[in-house]
Amino acid sequence: MSVLSANWTAFFYLVAAVCFILALKGLSSPGTARRGNLIGAGGAVLAVVTAFLSEDMDHVLAILVAIAIGCAIGVPAARRVAMTQMPQLVALFNGVGGAAAALVAALELQHGRSFGWTDYLPGSQGHALLGAPGGIASAAGAFTVLVGCISFSGSCVTFAKLQELMTTRPVTIRGGQYLFGGSLLVSVALSIVIVVQGRTDIPDAWLLAVLALFSLVAGVLFVLPVGGADVPIVISLLNAFTGLTVAASGYVLNNTLLLVAGTLVGASGTILTRLMASAMGRSVTSILFGAFRPSTAVL
Amino acid sequence: MDGMTMLALFVLAAFVGFEVVSKVSTTLHTPLMSGANAIHGVILVGAILVTGQTTSWFGTTLGLLAVVLATVNMVGGFVVTDRMLEMFKGRSSGRPGGGAR
């Protein structure tokens, strides 16, 4: 028996969502930025406590241990990092968030706990589709795996660039754009297969794994051609991507808080990416694909 | 929840997201990015809910991995944002009347 009723759960999720809006609002002006961040952290704690109390759960102890491990990794990393190395740490945090979203969506598609969409699909007659995620939920799930993996591997490459583990200059492989396009195309094709399968059955696990693999490759190829000075803008873009994946996983899980918080980050991250690019006098497309132009020196 | 209600929430949240950061000052770009990054760490909620329902050991392992990763994202994100802003405060306190304090 869960402690919180569905209504109270929804109410606390709403409060947490309002905290996130106030956090973003506060963070956009110097006087209120720090308070805004604290409000955001408060909203996050409320959300996590609410999640624990909202449902009957197994493995509670293991989850608490996992959270403790996450804190033990995250807090010292954030505390000890040098000021100049903060952007790459943010990139890394963003990447693991994307990976977490991909894992969550893949797991949810596999065991189908609560597919809220099933009842609303056209053609779902009674129990015919029960236990299947349904077309829209599988589409959202496949999107989460695809973009979450791109965000993860892309963020790892930006980390390597900023940490100078690899060259900060644009890396262009011969035919790199075709490889990128190809891996993206394969990922989209696999997603379509997952959606088709998801309409009537639980999608195969190996399909999700192969999708993740191709998306990881696409993420690496996406970020490689970007030069060192432009990397922060790509981090911001990947941040917006991860926001959207969290929103999509909110669809899959039928969870309003994930949907709202993810959409907020996706939307504000997109605007922020454009603002950052225009502050540098560049356009986002020239940053991402400029290295493929003939005028740029190829390694 | 009804699919259309979810869609409505998505669209309205997108407008709020666009609106709320449209006037951010240039110096705050990086902290705002970091703060937004911490907010999407709320995927931890999803990771907890999914892991709490897993039955196979493989699923549970993946779920716990997601919990660890999401916690790193969320907790680390908020801490690093706070440190960035602390740095700002130190810089602006040299100016008379600067900052909110």
Side-chain angles (χ1 to χ4, degrees):
Chain A
M1 196 189 77
S2 56
V3 179
L4 290 175
S5 70
N7 274 336
W8 279 110
T9 304
F11 176 76
F12 286 128
Y13 280 162
L14 177 66
V15 174
V18 170
C19 285
F20 293 151
I21 295 173
L22 292 175
L24 287 175
K25 186 82 196 152
L27 278 166
S28 27
S29 67
T32 54
R34 208 159 174 207
R35 195 177 53 205
N37 186 50
L38 288 178
I39 293 173
V45 171
L46 174 68
V48 170
V49 173
T50 307
F52 264 112
L53 300 179
S54 66
E55 279 184 24
D56 294 327
M57 286 196 289
D58 300 328
H59 319 300
V60 174
L61 192 68
I63 294 171
L64 288 173
V65 170
I67 290 176
I69 293 172
C71 290
I73 298 170
V75 174
R79 282 242 156 271
R80 287 191 199 143
V81 66
M83 299 294 177
T84 49
Q85 293 179 330
M86 278 179 181
Q88 50 265 51
L89 190 69
V90 173
L92 213 55
F93 286 162
N94 175 51
V96 295
L103 282 173
V104 167
L107 284 171
E108 184 68 8
L109 280 189
Q110 279 306 296
H111 72 83
R113 175 175 54 99
S114 57
F115 295 116
W117 288 93
T118 314
D119 304 334
Y120 303 97
L121 283 175
S124 67
Q125 308 287 326
H127 294 280
L129 284 182
L130 221 61
I136 301 171
S138 351
F143 174 86
T144 308
V145 174
L146 203 172
V147 183
C149 287
I150 286 182
S151 191
F152 175 64
S153 62
S155 296
C156 289
V157 175
T158 57
F159 174 79
K161 279 186 187 245
L162 290 178
Q163 196 71 25
E164 292 178 351
L165 300 174
M166 59 179 284
T167 173
T168 53
R169 290 170 61 192
V171 179
T172 46
I173 311 163
R174 194 170 291 280
Q177 66 267 57
Y178 300 113
L179 279 176
F180 170 65
S183 52
L184 202 60
L185 221 64
V186 173
S187 305
V188 171
L190 284 166
S191 306
I192 293 170
V193 175
I194 289 169
V195 173
V196 171
Q197 203 177 24
R199 284 174 63 87
T200 51
D201 203 356
I202 291 172
D204 288 333
W206 66 267
L207 272 175
L208 289 166
V210 177
L211 170 63
L213 205 66
F214 274 95
S215 311
L216 288 170
V217 172
V220 172
L221 294 169
F222 178 62
V223 179
L224 275 181
V226 179
D230 296 330
V231 165
I233 294 164
V234 176
I235 297 174
S236 175
L237 186 69
L238 292 173
N239 184 39
F241 279 6
T242 311
L244 287 179
T245 61
V246 172
S249 67
Y251 268 85
V252 183
L253 281 151
N254 204 21
N255 184 303
T256 51
L257 177 65
L258 291 185
L259 177 74
V260 171
T263 311
L264 278 173
V265 176
S268 59
T270 310
I271 291 285
L272 188 61
T273 307
R274 287 185 53 197
L275 288 174
M276 286 170 85
S278 71
M280 290 178 68
R282 310 275 311 262
S283 77
V284 176
T285 41
S286 78
I287 287 166
L288 292 179
F289 305 112
F292 293 128
R293 298 238 173 88
S295 60
T296 321
V298 177
L299 280 178
Chain B
M1 178 164 297
D2 189 323
M4 282 319 285
T5 316
M6 296 289 263
L7 186 63
L9 273 176
F10 173 75
V11 172
L12 295 176
F15 273 98
V16 172
F18 283 136
E19 207 51 45
V20 99
V21 299
S22 55
K23 290 183 194 73
V24 60
S25 55
T26 316
T27 49
L28 282 172
H29 280 171
T30 310
L32 180 61
M33 175 174 82
S34 180
N37 170 53
I39 288 174
H40 71 52
V42 78
I43 186 65
L44 177 57
V45 166
I48 291 170
L49 292 177
V50 168
T51 310
Q53 307 293 330
T54 49
T55 44
S56 68
W57 68 268
F58 185 63
T60 311
T61 312
L62 286 185
L64 290 173
L65 178 65
V67 171
V68 173
L69 294 178
T71 311
V72 170
N73 182 191
M74 191 177 95
V75 178
F78 281 118
V79 172
V80 83
T81 312
D82 194 58
R83 269 194 70 198
M84 278 182 202
L85 295 167
E86 200 173 22
M87 190 167 71
F88 270 90
K89 196 176 157 196
R91 200 187 295 165
S92 66
S93 63
R95 258 186 337 206
R101 207 168 69 91

